[in-house]
Amino acid sequence: MASAAIDHMVSITIFLAAILLFTSLFSQTIQTAVVYQQHRAIATKCSDVLDSIMLNSGNPTNWGQTNSTPTSFGLQDPEFTQYQLSPFSLMRLNSSTGSSVYYPQTDLTYCNLTLGFGQSLYVPYSQIINYSLASTLLGLNGTYGFSLTIAPVLTVTINQVQSNPLNLSIAVMGAGFPLAGATVNYCFLSITGRDQGSYPAYTVSNGSRTTNDAGLAYVDFPDFDETTYSYALIAYAHLSGLTGIGYHEGILYSESFVVPFVSNFETGEVILAHSWDVHAGANPAEIAFNATFVLLSDDFTLREMPLDNETGKIVGKLNYGQDPQHAYANLTINTRSSGILIVTYSKSNVENGVVVMPWGISSLAFTVTFGGDPQIQEWVATDMRQVIINRVAYQAKLSLWSMGGRQVIG
């Protein structure tokens, strides 16, 4: 009897242990299934939100070229259909990779998106769309977080190979591979300084090359003297409907230079500031400037557009706030088309340089990153679309995550 009772107790113990084990395993399976369904729902939502942003212009449809706050959020170019985005709506997004800059002359703080010296976009925070507002307009606030990155498909990199004579290499890369056989149209700007009482200027020469099997093209300028003149090269690479842009400059003077600020999207007003008032630095000096606005024509050459006056150029002087009359300058871009603001500057005949600002994000192939930080999230769904921004090929990538969060407990 005692042996039978012991066997019975052992059997019950084993049975209960088995029930607990299988219950735990079944519970974990259910949790895994729930998490899988949640992840699948987030992935579906990610695709829906991306299409909503890419295929909708928002309200008003031209909010990218106004100072108003949109009542619905979308980035599609209102003049086109399908996956074609507005270069101006993208200018008004608060880039998560940008920094903040305060400019005392206007008493405003600006979002600074910079690709390197002389390539910058400064937009006042009073006119940009922040992450919180976009989340609310998309109906995601409190439920989902997102990060949107819009980056060029083609990478066009320009490097100086040698001087005397000046030789530049243009490398065109696709998504991890060189683009062989691509046509590269280039625009070379030779910047001259100023003599006493004059203003800097530039001359333009255009040409084209074809990339070799390694995706490289070379351009020579045997008559260019880089000890006297600064230069800039803008290159447009295109093949089979893909277009990319590259920019490179060689300047002789950078202690004092011009910093363009977007002042008013609706009227196209831009402020030209002295760098010392923005970044400080040593040895500030009075500089003269010459501002020109150019558009990309159908044959991939740059065409000048008038600014405020009949000459199409704005000239003047900046003296880092010492004289209110020359503390900064104003100009107006009189077009709804995207292009490049080119500002040559000089302290003397041999101390000169050039800065550029895109009017429309694609003009200089700027990348925009907008939203939260996906790196700190537990699980993130991603989806991508190939888009066109003013003929330049971009890739739009949306990362989406749940604000609730769920994980499997083993």
Side-chain angles (χ1 to χ4, degrees):
M1 289 294 292
S3 177
I6 291 173
D7 290 342
H8 184 66
M9 292 177 64
V10 170
S11 299
I12 292 176
T13 302
I14 294 174
F15 178 71
L16 292 175
I19 290 178
L20 292 174
L21 177 62
F22 283 112
T23 300
S24 176
L25 291 175
F26 185 67
S27 174
Q28 187 173 5
T29 301
I30 294 235
Q31 289 185 63
T32 302
V34 169
V35 171
Y36 170 77
Q37 289 297 330
Q38 183 189 47
H39 290 174
R40 186 175 180 181
I42 295 174
T44 302
K45 183 68 174 179
C46 180
S47 181
D48 292 342
V49 171
L50 183 56
D51 279 334
S52 177
I53 296 174
M54 300 292 107
L55 300 176
N56 165 41
S57 299
N59 186 41
T61 57
N62 67 333
W63 64 267
Q65 293 181 293
T66 70
N67 300 326
S68 62
T69 301
T71 56
S72 67
F73 184 75
L75 298 177
Q76 187 185 52
D77 193 323
E79 297 182 2
F80 296 94
T81 60
Q82 299 302 317
Y83 295 100
Q84 300 199 54
L85 306 188
S86 167
F88 298 102
S89 297
L90 291 166
M91 283 181 68
R92 292 191 62 190
L93 299 184
N94 182 13
S95 177
S96 56
T97 59
S99 57
S100 297
V101 171
Y102 173 73
Y103 183 48
Q105 298 294 336
T106 59
D107 194 26
L108 292 175
T109 301
Y110 296 78
C111 179
N112 170 24
L113 184 61
T114 301
L115 294 185
F117 178 85
Q119 303 176 73
S120 61
L121 178 62
Y122 292 83
V123 180
Y125 278 104
S126 58
Q127 296 184 32
I128 63 175
I129 306 304
N130 59 37
Y131 174 42
S132 176
L133 175 61
S135 295
T136 300
L137 295 179
L138 289 169
L140 305 177
N141 195 26
T143 306
Y144 297 97
F146 75 90
S147 175
L148 177 65
T149 300
I150 302 177
V153 173
L154 299 184
T155 302
V156 182
T157 306
I158 305 171
N159 291 301
Q160 180 172 323
V161 178
Q162 69 176 38
S163 59
N164 299 323
L166 178 64
N167 178 269
L168 302 174
S169 68
I170 305 172
V172 184
M173 292 290 294
F177 59 91
L179 206 65
T183 300
V184 179
N185 295 83
Y186 65 85
C187 178
F188 183 76
L189 287 70
S190 176
I191 292 93
T192 59
R194 61 164 178 161
D195 294 322
Q196 189 67 29
S198 65
Y199 298 94
Y202 67 86
T203 57
V204 178
S205 59
N206 296 293
S208 64
R209 295 288 188 274
T210 301
T211 57
N212 58 23
D213 291 341
L216 292 171
Y218 296 92
V219 185
D220 293 306
F221 302 97
D223 299 327
F224 179 78
D225 182 3
E226 62 177 338
T227 63
T228 304
Y229 307 114
S230 296
Y231 72 88
L233 183 75
I234 306 173
Y236 300 91
H238 48 100
L239 177 68
S240 301
L242 294 177
T243 300
I245 301 175
Y247 177 81
H248 176 77
E249 61 188 6
I251 62 171
L252 298 177
Y253 181 68
S254 61
E255 291 185 8
S256 294
F257 56 94
V258 178
V259 180
F261 287 95
V262 175
S263 178
N264 191 306
F265 281 98
E266 193 160 344
T267 61
E269 294 178 26
V270 175
I271 291 175
L272 301 182
H274 194 289
S275 61
W276 192 86
D277 290 329
V278 182
H279 305 297
N283 303 318
E286 180 186 82
I287 53 176
F289 69 86
N290 188 338
T292 308
F293 184 75
V294 295
L295 297 174
L296 177 65
S297 61
D298 292 336
D299 60 353
F300 293 95
T301 59
L302 297 179
R303 177 167 54 90
E304 288 189 8
M305 287 289 293
L307 288 171
D308 300 73
N309 54 26
E310 295 179 357
T311 66
K313 298 179 174 65
I314 299 295
V315 297
K317 297 179 181 179
L318 299 174
N319 64 357
Y320 55 96
Q322 298 302 302
D323 178 1
Q325 182 180 356
H326 299 296
Y328 61 89
N330 292 287
L331 60 84
T332 301
I333 299 175
N334 301 309
T335 179
R336 291 294 180 178
S337 300
S338 61
I340 303 172
L341 179 65
I342 300 175
V343 186
T344 60
Y345 65 89
S346 68
K347 176 185 175 183
S348 66
N349 188 42
V350 294
E351 295 171 299
N352 51 68
V354 58
V355 298
V356 292
M357 185 195 81
W359 185 247
I361 205 76
S362 60
S363 300
L364 289 168
F366 273 43
T367 295
V368 175
T369 302
F370 177 66
D373 184 4
Q375 301 296 327
I376 61 175
Q377 309 304 323
E378 175 196 348
W379 192 86
V380 177
T382 60
D383 203 356
M384 294 181 292
R385 298 288 186 272
Q386 303 301 317
V387 299
I388 299 295
I389 308 175
N390 192 35
R391 294 193 292 164
V392 180
Y394 273 75
Q395 183 181 80
K397 177 182 177 182
L398 181 71
S399 300
L400 189 80
W401 57 88
S402 171
M403 301 296 286
R406 180 187 292 271
Q407 60 184 359
V408 178
I409 301 176

